[in-house]
Amino acid sequence: MGEPLIRRRELYVGDLPTIVFGHRSLIWWGTLGMMAIEGTMFAIVIASYFYLRTRISNWPPGLMPPALKYGVLNSIWFLLSVVPNQWTKTIAEKGDLQKVRIGLVVMTMFGVGNLVLRGFEFTALNCQWDANAYASIVWLLLGLHTVHLLTDWFDTAVLAVLFFTGPLDGKRYMDASENSDYWYFVVLTWLPIFFVIYIAPRLL
Amino acid sequence: MSTVENISATTPHLDRHERLSLTWGDPPGILGWFMTVNHKRVGKRFMITAFIFFLLGGLLAVLMRLQLSRPENHFLGPDKYNQIFTMHGSTMMFLFAVPMMFEALSVYFVPLMVGARNIAFPRLNAFSYYVYVFGGIMLWVAFVYNAGPDVGWFAYPPLSGPAFTPGKRADFWAQMITFTELSGLAVAVEVVVTVMKTRAPGMSLNRLPIFCWAEVITSLMVIFAMPAVMLSSTMLIMDRLIATHFFNPSEGGDALLYQHMFWFFGHPEVYIIFIPGTGIVSTIIAAFSRRKVFGYTALVLSTVATGFIGFGVWVHHMFATGLPQLSENFFTAASLMIVVPTGVQFFCWIATLWSGRLHFELPMQWIGGFFFVFLIGGLTGLMLAAVPLDWQVHDTYFVVAHFHYVLLGGAVFPLFGAFYYWFPKITGRMLGEALGKLHFWLFFIGFNLTFFPMHILGLRGMPRRIYTYPVEMHWGSVNALESIGAILMGLGVLAFIWNVFQSNRFGRIAGADPWGAGTLEWATTSPPPNYNFLDLPTVGGREPLWENAPDQPIVTGVREDMREVLVTRPMDAEPEHLTLYPSPTIWPFLTSLAVTGLFIGSIFTPWAVVWGAIPVAITLTGWFWPTKKETEEKKEIEVWENR
């Protein structure tokens, strides 16, 4: 079909990169959106915890506060995990296949440690969820964080397998970098939650 | 990246059209239907599904009006009536209003209005539709089998708790919330990212169409409001199924906590429905006044202000719960304050109409209806913000009148305007004029006949949520009038449906821009091709079709044999990088099936959360796992930054 030749100005973008990291990538924005949603959830559960505190005179009502040992150990483990997490993120952005493999395996192992300690944390809460409203909200808070821990651990494990088996292209390195960002979210939300579950009942 | 003077059209348009259609097309047949990730197909599905739920909710309203049309009527019994008013409210709010005003309209139009080829995260978009429709079907199937919720659209404990509502009715309601809010939250993230990162070059934030502003602000409200109701309904279902005590006062819980959480979502929800309506009003008024909207910055900032203040007024739904008076004063003040940004918007619209050249066509007629109806609703809102008056009319028909004026005025009237305005874009044909007028007048008169007398009945003490009333109250004749109004509204909607079916086949051919409007969706053919724009546009003003230079550059260098798209910077939309959007895939549909299994299973056993997580994990992994062929293709064209 003979289209007439038309004189138009063009904005040529064909030489722009396709693999970018951090806030330039769409997946970073998507992860940020998820963090905003889930961060709001954590904030509302924490607010509910303190709201329920105002409804009753002694806290925790008729129960011992959660035992500290596993919660403290898990917090230390979480804080330590930041080091391999940042390393994995940095090398993912350099596209170093061998080192990303090591980083993802290490992070998967770290996650296993967190999950095992989390299992013990549930046994050390000194309450069952159906004991009273305090017990319910403590279980909800720890349970909700565990869901995030579990999903990010699963993500990391799947990514680790993919980096060994392929198929691989540059976008997967973007995923590895964002996976590290999400792990930061899991760690950073844990700190206030740790404070609420373990310290608040001793102070209030 | 460079702007160059060039002789283009070296490739004939037809060849490019064929190549792009092939790249952005879906596989044929029924499998292709379930695999599509095209925002227009998904958006249309949202629209049609939400409209079907609007009809179902409307049908329930007609049943209620028949029941109330005369005193001591026994057409419906109290149990059926309880289910029907709960289903009416839940369907209209969760299955019609939000999915229509927010999901359907933004999924279809935002990518077109910012000059993009698809919405960001297209597979998530397909997933969000399936999750929504499965949640809606679950609720309605439960209702048909006499297990519909009967505890009001907000399901307050203790009524909805295990002690007073045994059985599964309230559980279906609570899980319907989980379905629909998951869907809404996913779309919110997609819309924010589409607007922030995939606008056409030149569309700096201060040139973003007002409708897109409205949907982005709505998205942010969704992100911060919907988690609250997902949590409150999850906590409710846990109280019912695994004996937690969040809302049980005898074990240290508190029923009012539920109300706080619900309304922390529930009031922003009203603005989630209304703010897209304001976006429609601004869009249509600008198009039919033939001028850029007056006070663009004021309009945008008012919408932002509404978004913020909307989170600070929820307690006005709880004035009758015995909260401390100081906090009630605060929430009265906040509720009055929110009138200010709405007032600013009204004056901007009036100024636009005043100084423009007004063309009063079908869409504008609905905007006129909006002004009248919403203003009355807003005025009774001012009255209800005052505690003494609120106490007086709490739980009466005055409140029912108020929120129908606000919600139908703020959402349904602009929505019908939007249908008349954008129907030509979606189908390529104009809606019929005569049926359009009949629709408007039947609906407008019917609406006011139904809901205006409710103000009076409310002041005379008629309470909400009663299935009948004695003769001696003398409410019969007014109720009969209202029921006639409801039937007129129903006839109006039938006229609309008839118009849609007729016009879809025989309507006048619309062409690309039948109204002479200025935003980018009118730059492409009607209906738009699956790749949206043959030449990716750049933008030289707020209304690009009115303001672009005659030789406005087009974007070149984006591959047409792969689903490549241009990503731009958040503030000024300068080109930043190129990325590939995913191809059609069945995984979002399979994932939605797995999620549906988990959600519905958890109504019957808590273990469904554990076992149901396995298929969810498998399908999500399938979704994520790349294919060899695509990966090889991608690798060939990839360019790393800073290398």
Side-chain angles (χ1 to χ4, degrees):
Chain A
M1 183 160 145
E3 292 282 334
L5 291 181
I6 39 166
R7 202 171 185 81
R8 281 197 87 163
R9 286 191 298 151
E10 294 179 3
L11 178 67
Y12 181 74
V13 297
D15 47 9
L16 289 174
T18 63
I19 305 297
V20 297
F21 293 95
H23 66 87
R24 287 177 297 288
S25 72
L26 295 184
I27 192 71
W28 182 90
W29 284 79
T31 313
L32 186 73
M34 272 178 67
M35 290 177 186
I37 290 164
E38 288 151 18
T40 308
M41 287 208 184
F42 285 130
I44 291 170
V45 178
I46 290 173
S48 304
Y49 178 96
F50 289 108
Y51 180 93
L52 288 170
R53 172 66 191 90
T54 66
R55 304 288 98 184
I56 207 158
S57 52
N58 54 332
W59 195 258
L63 295 163
M64 295 279 288
L68 279 172
K69 189 166 92 186
Y70 294 112
V72 171
L73 278 177
N74 212 0
S75 305
I76 294 169
W77 195 248
F78 268 120
L79 290 174
L80 286 176
S81 73
V82 165
V83 178
N85 190 51
Q86 181 56 41
W87 185 73
T88 310
K89 184 173 158 64
T90 312
I91 48 153
E93 293 178 9
K94 288 184 181 144
D96 186 332
L97 175 63
Q98 292 309 324
K99 286 182 180 166
V100 173
R101 282 175 175 167
I102 297 169
L104 287 170
V105 169
V106 170
M107 284 309 294
T108 310
M109 306 301 267
F110 254 93
V112 171
N114 286 119
L115 283 166
V116 169
L117 285 169
R118 178 55 51 85
F120 285 112
E121 280 189 78
F122 276 106
T123 65
L125 285 178
N126 286 328
C127 64
Q128 196 71 19
W129 66 83
D130 55 358
N132 54 36
Y134 156 82
S136 304
I137 196 84
V138 166
W139 274 79
L140 179 63
L141 197 46
L142 195 61
L144 201 59
H145 190 266
T146 307
V147 171
H148 288 74
L149 174 58
L150 198 61
T151 41
D152 198 31
W153 173 79
F154 184 72
D155 281 357
T156 312
V158 170
L159 258 182
V161 172
L162 181 68
F163 267 85
F164 281 97
T165 65
L168 275 184
D169 65 304
K171 248 195 172 160
R172 305 286 82 92
Y173 291 88
M174 292 162 68
D175 292 338
S177 162
E178 278 321 306
N179 191 57
S180 296
D181 280 352
Y182 196 74
W183 182 257
Y184 275 126
F185 174 73
V186 173
V187 173
L188 288 177
T189 50
W190 172 245
L191 300 177
I193 292 171
F194 169 79
F195 180 85
V196 171
I197 292 179
Y198 290 94
I199 310 298
R202 292 178 160 81
L203 299 180
L204 291 171
Chain B
M1 176 187 78
S2 51
T3 313
V4 286
E5 194 82 17
N6 209 342
I7 307 281
S8 79
T10 43
T11 325
H13 278 189
L14 198 65
D15 289 358
R16 288 185 55 217
H17 166 72
E18 274 169 8
R19 188 164 63 218
L20 278 163
S21 304
L22 203 66
T23 305
W24 289 89
D26 293 318
I30 189 81
L31 193 64
W33 199 93
F34 286 104
M35 288 171 75
T36 189
V37 290
N38 181 319
H39 76 101
K40 293 179 300 299
R41 285 187 90 179
V42 176
K44 255 199 296 201
R45 284 175 201 174
F46 262 118
M47 249 174 248
I48 292 168
T49 312
F51 194 78
I52 290 172
F53 282 121
F54 173 70
L55 296 179
L56 289 171
L59 213 59
L60 297 179
V62 170
L63 289 178
M64 282 191 284
R65 280 319 319 164
L66 289 179
Q67 165 62 20
L68 293 174
S69 59
R70 59 195 176 87
E72 281 160 45
N73 194 0
H74 293 282
F75 166 63
L76 298 170
D79 180 65
K80 213 15 109 212
Y81 191 84
N82 285 350
Q83 286 188 60
I84 286 180
F85 75 67
T86 303
M87 285 293 292
H88 169 74
S90 303
T91 300
M92 288 304 200
M93 294 299 276
F94 295 108
L95 302 176
F96 159 65
V98 177
M100 181 65 96
M101 301 304 291
F102 173 56
E103 278 123 287
L105 293 182
S106 56
V107 162
Y108 194 100
F109 289 108
V110 167
L112 283 167
M113 288 175 113
V114 300
R117 288 224 153 111
N118 202 349
I119 196 166
F121 309 123
R123 293 180 295 185
L124 185 65
N125 191 33
F127 171 76
S128 62
Y129 170 74
Y130 295 124
V131 166
Y132 152 66
V133 75
F134 287 146
I137 291 172
M138 176 202 68
L139 185 75
W140 271 81
V141 168
F143 173 64
V144 168
Y145 285 96
N146 200 32
D150 55 353
V151 286
W153 82 280
F154 37 56
Y156 283 168
L159 177 62
S160 62
F164 297 98
T165 305
K168 295 291 174 200
R169 287 180 169 183
D171 302 313
F172 283 114
W173 180 87
Q175 283 309 57
M176 178 275 291
I177 299 290
T178 316
F179 276 103
T180 53
E181 307 313 85
L182 176 61
S183 162
L185 284 163
V187 173
V189 173
E190 295 155 20
V191 170
V192 171
V193 179
T194 304
V195 168
M196 296 311 284
K197 292 297 288 179
T198 66
R199 301 196 304 278
M203 190 184 280
S204 49
L205 271 188
N206 60 352
R207 288 174 177 171
L208 182 68
I210 296 232
F211 179 77
C212 295
W213 268 114
E215 294 289 11
V216 165
I217 293 162
T218 304
S219 301
L220 293 173
M221 295 190 77
V222 166
I223 286 172
F224 294 109
M226 285 194 180
V229 76
M230 273 181 99
L231 272 172
S232 65
S233 64
T234 304
M235 285 155 80
L236 175 66
I237 210 170
M238 286 165 86
D239 269 12
R240 295 172 53 83
L241 299 178
I242 58 166
T244 55
H245 298 291
F246 298 111
F247 309 124
N248 176 9
S250 62
E251 291 291 351
D254 188 67
L256 276 192
L257 173 61
Y258 181 90
Q259 292 199 23
H260 279 296
M261 292 175 83
F262 185 86
W263 290 113
F264 183 80
F265 145 81
H267 201 86
E269 165 93 340
V270 176
Y271 290 98
I272 288 167
I273 294 165
F274 167 58
I275 287 178
T278 66
I280 295 168
V281 173
S282 299
T283 307
I284 293 181
I285 285 185
F288 291 94
S289 302
R290 297 289 187 276
R291 58 153 293 170
K292 287 195 283 179
V293 79
F294 177 91
Y296 174 92
T297 311
L299 275 168
V300 171
L301 290 181
S302 303
T303 316
V304 173
T306 309
F308 274 101
I309 305 171
F311 278 93
V313 301
W314 81 90
V315 168
H316 73 217
H317 297 270
M318 300 167 62
F319 279 158
T321 58
L323 292 171
Q325 285 199 333
L326 188 67
S327 67
E328 295 191 338
N329 287 345
F330 172 84
F331 283 95
T332 292
S335 307
L336 292 173
M337 191 162 76
I338 205 160
V339 176
V340 176
T342 310
V344 170
Q345 286 174 297
F346 260 77
F347 287 114
C348 288
W349 291 326
I350 292 170
T352 311
L353 290 168
W354 198 294
S355 55
R357 279 182 293 121
L358 189 58
H359 293 243
F360 205 81
E361 299 193 54
L362 283 175
M364 266 311 284
Q365 165 173 286
W366 289 93
I367 302 308
F370 154 82
F371 275 116
F372 181 85
V373 173
F374 185 76
L375 192 62
I376 292 178
L379 290 175
T380 52
L382 276 176
M383 294 161 73
L384 285 168
V387 178
L389 193 128
D390 182 88
W391 281 359
Q392 189 64 31
V393 297
H394 182 79
D395 259 346
T396 71
Y397 265 86
F398 189 86
V399 179
V400 180
H402 159 70
F403 68 68
H404 281 91
Y405 266 85
V406 179
L407 289 172
L408 275 91
V412 176
F413 277 80
L415 176 69
F416 277 126
F419 280 152
Y420 285 91
Y421 181 65
W422 278 316
F423 185 84
K425 179 49 62 185
I426 299 171
T427 65
R429 291 175 186 273
M430 308 293 284
L431 277 169
E433 191 82 21
L435 277 170
K437 287 208 166 108
L438 182 69
H439 170 208
F440 174 77
W441 286 110
L442 280 172
F443 197 84
F444 181 76
I445 293 169
F447 172 83
N448 286 294
L449 209 57
T450 309
F451 292 104
F452 196 84
M454 286 188 189
H455 293 110
I456 298 156
L457 275 182
L459 291 173
R460 280 160 59 181
M462 181 169 170
R464 299 167 71 176
R465 304 193 189 92
I466 46 153
Y467 84 106
T468 194
Y469 49 90
V471 183
E472 301 79 56
M473 301 307 292
H474 303 295
W475 297 332
S477 50
V478 181
N479 268 299
L481 190 70
E482 290 173 3
S483 300
I484 293 169
I487 289 165
L488 290 185
M489 283 173 83
L491 291 176
V493 173
L494 286 181
F496 172 70
I497 295 170
W498 179 242
N499 199 354
V500 167
F501 276 105
Q502 279 281 92
S503 308
N504 194 30
R505 299 183 61 189
F506 310 114
R508 192 154 53 80
I509 300 289
D513 188 6
W515 311 115
T519 40
L520 278 181
E521 78 272 30
W522 304 107
T524 184
T525 53
S526 309
N530 55 24
Y531 51 85
N532 284 359
F533 299 94
L534 188 68
D535 292 321
L536 285 171
T538 66
V539 166
R542 274 178 197 152
E543 302 275 357
L545 271 58
W546 297 346
E547 294 177 75
N548 271 1
D551 62 343
Q552 187 75 26
I554 56 167
V555 176
T556 59
V558 180
R559 297 185 75 98
E560 297 182 345
D561 55 346
M562 296 172 84
R563 296 191 167 214
E564 192 167 69
V565 296
L566 174 65
V567 182
T568 50
R569 296 205 175 101
M571 299 302 285
D572 289 329
E574 300 132 325
E576 183 184 74
H577 71 274
L578 296 163
T579 196
L580 287 166
Y581 274 175
S583 307
T585 157
I586 195 71
W587 286 108
F589 176 69
L590 296 180
T591 309
S592 70
L593 284 180
V595 166
T596 302
L598 191 158
F599 286 172
I600 296 184
S602 67
I603 293 177
F604 299 96
T605 162
W607 287 104
V609 178
V610 179
W611 304 125
I614 294 168
V616 172
I618 292 170
T619 47
L620 279 173
T621 308
W623 177 334
F624 166 74
W625 205 265
T627 63
K628 233 190 175 105
K629 186 171 156 283
E630 277 196 353
T631 307
E632 291 309 315
E633 288 172 2
K634 278 188 202 167
K635 242 169 133 169
E636 269 174 36
I637 62 155
E638 84 185 21
V639 182
W640 285 57
E641 66 173 347
N642 308 327
R643 262 199 186 174

